[in-house]
Amino acid sequence: MKHFLRVVTQFFVFLYCKCLWRGLKFVIRKVTGRCELQRICHNNKPGARRTLKIESSLRYSKNELCQSALSAHPDRVEKTIDDIMTLKKVNPDTNPQLGISLQASLFQIVGYRSLVAEVEKLRREPYDCENPDHEEMLMKLWKTLRPDSTLTGRISKQWCEIGFQGNDPKTDFRGMGLLGLHNLLYFAEHDKATALQVLHDSLQPKHSKMSKAEWEQKNFDKAIGYSFAIVGINITDLAYSLLVSGALKTHLYNVAPEMPSLSHFQQTFCYLMQEFHRFWIEEDPCDIMEFNRVRSKFHRRVLRQLKNPDMALCPHFAASDLHLVNL
């Protein structure tokens, strides 16, 4: 019986999608004088609400031109919009706003796809100690996080001071490749005060010999005891999974007026680092062995936030140069 009901349900869903919905759209167009894309642009404010609906409309269109618009090259976005408006029989002179709105949303859509490719390229590039650019980035990370401490050698136990596992950091970049290093360095350089505070807190033992009064008097944050760099690489993995799965579209479509860039992704990483730092303290785990549990719970919380189409994961530091907006 359950199988029969499932088959019947699937049949009616198919009938609705293939026949009734297309017929309904035809009637609505005749009544309103607007195509679906016009209605989306008219009824939704700029940002994720509008762009996600436009993306869905183009993806499920029966017209090949609309479907191919999602993979258009950025240089051909304007031409693609002109072709769509011609296809939909929309006069650009009497409906100029439609072209502007569609162009902004399509730039976001194709920009997101380009960003995924750029991030994936960095993730797949392994750290090479023979590459001077890679080595320079690593040295910058040390100098930014440990400005008053001279590194005694390229291979050194000192790397553990900023949260690497062993004497040579290159082994810790295997999972996320250069992407992990790029994100850590961006955090250290663009939000240095917060990065240094998170690093300082991470070095505090979970159980301190100080009394509560002494701890509060020194104005220390709650002891957390995790490895800064390793956690940064792990949070890079979390940000990467959000990006590749498409969950990050909500945030990026709300903060990037047109094409999302690598800087937008790196700022998202900074936000996640700061929020995970707070979340770890709130969870008060017994030790680092609870990291996976806390990370999974934090991941689920972020996913819930991103289900809100008005959500923007804005970082807590000034970023006016990236034109971030809090919706």
Side-chain angles (χ1 to χ4, degrees):
M1 186 64 180
K2 289 183 179 179
H3 177 71
F4 173 75
L5 290 175
R6 185 164 60 249
V7 171
V8 171
T9 302
Q10 290 174 346
F11 171 75
F12 278 109
V13 169
F14 173 81
L15 185 65
Y16 174 77
C17 294
K18 290 295 182 180
C19 303
L20 297 181
W21 175 236
R22 296 193 188 281
L24 182 60
K25 287 203 299 182
F26 176 78
V27 172
I28 293 175
R29 167 125 197 199
K30 289 298 182 182
V31 172
T32 64
R34 293 172 174 164
C35 68
E36 185 179 39
L37 291 174
Q38 284 177 292
R39 296 194 300 272
I40 291 173
C41 292
H42 179 75
N43 296 327
N44 297 275
K45 64 182 181 181
R49 281 187 180 272
R50 176 186 291 176
T51 300
L52 287 171
K53 289 181 179 180
I54 288 175
E55 189 172 14
S56 178
S57 177
L58 294 174
R59 176 173 289 111
Y60 295 109
S61 172
K62 63 180 180 180
N63 188 278
E64 192 174 324
L65 171 62
C66 293
Q67 294 175 2
S68 64
L70 297 174
S71 56
H73 189 277
D75 293 341
R76 292 191 57 80
V77 165
E78 292 186 26
K79 176 65 168 59
T80 301
I81 297 300
D82 291 340
D83 292 342
I84 290 176
M85 294 184 70
T86 300
L87 174 70
K88 299 294 183 179
K89 299 178 182 178
V90 178
N91 189 332
D93 296 326
T94 57
N95 297 273
Q97 189 57 44
L98 176 63
I100 296 172
S101 299
L102 281 178
Q103 180 173 305
S105 290
L106 197 55
F107 267 126
Q108 289 183 319
I109 293 167
V110 301
Y112 192 95
R113 190 189 73 249
S114 297
L115 175 59
V116 171
E118 184 177 6
V119 167
E120 181 64 25
K121 183 179 179 181
L122 284 174
R123 188 188 73 85
R124 288 180 175 274
E125 185 175 356
Y127 184 90
D128 182 5
C129 58
E130 300 298 323
N131 187 316
D133 293 334
H134 296 187
E135 289 287 285
E136 182 181 1
M137 288 178 63
L138 186 59
M139 292 303 112
K140 276 185 181 179
L141 180 64
W142 172 265
K143 290 176 182 177
T144 307
L145 295 176
R146 277 283 186 257
D148 300 323
S149 181
T150 302
L151 193 64
T152 57
R154 171 60 181 78
I155 308 297
S156 170
K157 291 183 178 180
Q158 287 176 284
W159 289 112
C160 295
E161 295 176 19
I162 59 174
F164 287 103
Q165 287 183 323
N167 297 345
D168 190 350
K170 74 173 185 179
T171 59
D172 293 326
F173 292 121
R174 286 173 183 167
M176 285 288 108
L178 272 193
L179 184 63
L181 179 55
H182 272 272
N183 279 354
L184 284 169
L185 184 57
Y186 187 94
F187 185 33
E189 290 187 328
H190 288 78
D191 192 19
K192 187 174 181 179
T194 304
L196 289 175
Q197 183 62 53
V198 173
L199 174 62
H200 171 269
D201 294 343
S202 73
L203 293 171
Q204 305 307 317
K206 180 61 189 175
H207 301 289
S208 175
K209 293 181 180 179
M210 295 182 185
S211 67
K212 184 177 179 181
E214 289 175 323
W215 185 263
E216 291 178 350
Q217 185 177 7
K218 288 182 177 292
N219 198 30
F220 284 155
D221 202 339
K222 192 174 181 181
I224 56 178
Y226 62 62
S227 300
F228 176 86
I230 296 300
V231 168
I233 294 170
N234 206 289
I235 296 301
T236 292
D237 177 68
L238 189 150
Y240 167 78
S241 68
L242 291 173
L243 180 73
V244 173
S245 70
L248 215 52
K249 286 180 179 180
T250 301
H251 163 67
L252 291 177
Y253 288 168
N254 280 330
V255 301
E258 289 192 344
M259 294 183 67
S261 66
L262 182 61
S263 294
H264 288 106
F265 175 76
Q266 290 173 319
Q267 278 224 315
T268 304
F269 166 77
C270 293
Y271 167 85
L272 293 172
M273 279 292 287
Q274 294 172 62
E275 289 303 302
F276 181 80
H277 176 68
R278 290 181 174 86
F279 191 74
W280 179 271
I281 293 172
E282 290 170 6
E283 286 293 300
D284 192 23
C286 294
D287 52 43
I288 195 63
M289 298 303 292
E290 290 195 67
F291 179 81
N292 287 336
R293 176 190 66 79
V294 176
R295 180 193 183 278
S296 295
K297 189 174 180 179
F298 177 70
H299 190 188
R300 290 194 298 272
R301 189 181 76 166
V302 175
L303 285 173
R304 286 196 301 271
Q305 292 175 328
L306 290 171
K307 288 182 179 179
N308 177 2
D310 295 324
M311 185 64 190
L313 301 177
C314 290
H316 303 295
F317 57 94
S320 57
D321 58 316
L322 294 178
H323 311 290
L324 293 191
V325 292
N326 190 347
L327 300 179

